[in-house]
Amino acid sequence: MFFDDLAGTISSFGSARRQSWATRWTEIGDAQCLRADLKIKQMAFDEATEAWLCGLTAFEVARRLADDGDPKRDDISAKAEANIERFGPPLRQNIERVEITCCDEAGFQAYYLPAGSHDSRAPAVICIGDEQESGATLLGRLLPAVAGRGMSVLVVSHDDVAGRPDVQPGSLLSCCLDYLVTRPDVDAARIGTYGDGVSAALATDFTVSDNRIAAAVCDGGLWNWARMLASVGWMTKLANENDEDGASRLRSRMVRRLKCPVLVVAGGRSLVSTSEAVKLQAECSAEHVDIDLAVPSIIRVASEEIDNFISSDESIFGWLEYKLSQSDCAWGRQTECVSGPVMMSTTRESLDPSKPS
């Protein structure tokens, strides 16, 4: 509800109002964490967990409201990270810092959150953060979205997998997958990947190069398509020939190489424009390629866009939960899983396959 009213609030009161809201949401996060502490002392662990997750969500709202370059953003991220470490153990959230090793290359650390279910072998998702977003920040944002879904998550930062000129990101991400496969609590046939923001392109390349992925939230190859169009030669060729069939083949070339269900998130902070994503989905539908489309709710304030990450994350992880729960979509049987084209809303109800989308 706050996000729905945000555009009018900021338009009416300006940047000062926005900063006031950032401060207020930080205070809400602090208050929720104090409540979690109190409930732990009272042995009311369910209420403590709820308060803790609400606190993490409040901190993320505050971080997005803070202006770019505002030191408050780093301070808020530090608060979220500190509260993850503080409340994880007493609330039985066994968040692990794990070392990912890759052949002879230097390894890196990631966060691992087990499913916490009675299922001894649960699905897992490799989550790759956006640029300039630490793994801890992404984990704090995703914890409320993955709670209770019966899936494990391995959270890695964008810089750890894309900031090394000597190693391809796909190789490092395959090492993440190798790590998950060796865990006794992970079902190797039900591992997905999610690339946030610019990392959506990394998730696409990774899924193309490693056919063990059972479901992917990625850009469907549209970032490579956009870079191709940025070339003067390609732009001239397409403009002169007016070859929409040729453009269609190029646009869907990458996604046709993906052998698992795909969700493309378009608009907002995504690399993908909504119009190109809609074209891609229509073309893939005609070829019986399993691709869905999610368009997050975007709040436009002056020249800036703020996405409603709460509803967006609910949709994304609801989709992953549904796709990874289908036995027919297990590793090695992805080609049998073809769903109809869907324009996903950002509500969990739209993920019910028995309801029209």
Side-chain angles (χ1 to χ4, degrees):
M1 292 173 63
F2 171 78
F3 275 117
D4 289 342
D5 296 335
L6 182 59
T9 300
I10 293 180
S11 297
S12 300
F13 297 97
S15 179
R17 183 63 166 175
R18 174 173 172 170
Q19 296 309 304
S20 174
W21 275 118
T23 300
R24 177 60 180 146
W25 277 100
T26 304
E27 293 170 349
I28 291 172
D30 289 334
Q32 289 288 347
C33 290
L34 286 174
R35 180 171 178 265
D37 200 18
L38 174 63
K39 293 300 180 181
I40 289 173
K41 293 176 181 177
Q42 296 174 348
M43 307 293 285
F45 294 111
D46 288 344
E47 293 178 61
T49 300
E50 181 182 6
W52 175 57
L53 295 177
C54 286
L56 292 177
T57 298
F59 288 138
E60 182 63 21
V61 173
R63 192 179 74 88
R64 289 174 183 247
L65 289 172
D67 289 327
D68 287 337
D70 190 332
K72 285 182 180 178
R73 280 196 168 187
D74 292 336
D75 294 341
I76 295 167
S77 294
K79 277 179 176 284
E81 183 173 0
N83 281 289
I84 289 172
E85 296 177 356
R86 177 185 175 192
F87 290 109
L91 293 176
R92 302 185 181 90
Q93 301 289 326
N94 300 318
I95 301 167
E96 305 173 28
R97 288 282 278 173
V98 299
E99 185 75 17
I100 305 298
T101 57
C102 195
C103 300
D104 297 330
E105 305 294 342
F108 60 93
Q109 287 196 322
Y111 285 98
Y112 178 74
L113 176 68
S117 66
H118 298 295
D119 186 354
S120 60
R121 297 177 67 82
V125 179
I126 300 169
C127 303
I128 316 157
D130 199 357
E131 279 186 318
Q132 301 177 340
E133 182 179 53
S134 69
T137 300
L138 178 61
L139 177 64
R141 192 192 98 205
L142 296 184
L143 273 168
V146 301
R149 293 194 185 275
M151 63 172 64
S152 302
V153 292
L154 181 71
V155 176
V156 300
S157 72
H158 176 90
D159 288 345
D160 281 335
V161 296
R164 296 174 55 176
D166 56 325
V167 188
Q168 289 295 319
S171 297
L172 295 173
L173 290 170
S174 286
C175 293
C176 293
L177 200 154
D178 292 338
Y179 168 80
L180 290 176
V181 167
T182 63
R183 290 192 65 105
D185 59 338
V186 171
D187 184 346
R190 295 188 292 159
I191 298 177
T193 187
Y194 162 45
D196 187 34
V198 298
S199 293
L202 298 181
T204 299
D205 293 339
F206 169 44
T207 306
V208 167
S209 65
D210 198 319
N211 62 9
R212 294 175 292 174
I213 293 296
V217 181
C218 59
D219 78 334
L222 286 176
W223 175 235
N224 287 331
W225 156 254
R227 288 193 299 180
M228 214 185 312
L229 283 185
S231 164
V232 174
W234 277 106
M235 291 177 67
T236 303
K237 179 179 178 181
L238 290 176
N240 289 343
E241 295 182 6
N242 194 26
D243 183 3
E244 182 56 33
D245 289 339
S248 174
R249 287 192 298 273
L250 290 170
R251 184 165 40 234
S252 59
R253 181 174 59 182
M254 177 70 81
V255 77
R256 287 198 300 267
R257 296 172 61 192
L258 299 170
K259 302 303 181 183
C260 68
V262 172
L263 174 67
V264 174
V265 182
R269 296 184 307 115
S270 169
L271 292 172
V272 180
S273 73
T274 303
S275 61
E276 287 297 329
V278 169
K279 291 177 184 176
L280 176 67
Q281 188 191 38
E283 291 156 3
C284 290
S285 175
E287 300 179 25
H288 303 291
V289 176
D290 188 356
I291 179 171
D292 292 325
L293 175 62
V295 182
S297 174
I298 303 297
I299 301 96
R300 291 177 173 81
V301 181
S303 59
E304 188 176 355
E305 294 182 336
I306 302 175
D307 66 312
N308 186 340
F309 71 93
I310 298 171
S311 58
S312 179
D313 289 343
E314 282 286 304
S315 284
I316 288 168
F317 282 90
W319 182 88
L320 283 165
E321 179 184 19
Y322 174 62
K323 290 296 183 180
L324 294 176
S325 69
Q326 298 180 84
S327 59
D328 286 344
C329 285
W331 173 26
R333 296 190 296 276
Q334 296 97 327
T335 54
E336 299 174 12
C337 306
V338 179
S339 64
V342 138
M343 174 69 75
M344 290 180 60
S345 72
T346 52
T347 60
R348 180 176 290 184
E349 286 76 12
S350 69
L351 297 166
D352 185 343
S354 67
K355 297 180 181 179
S357 300

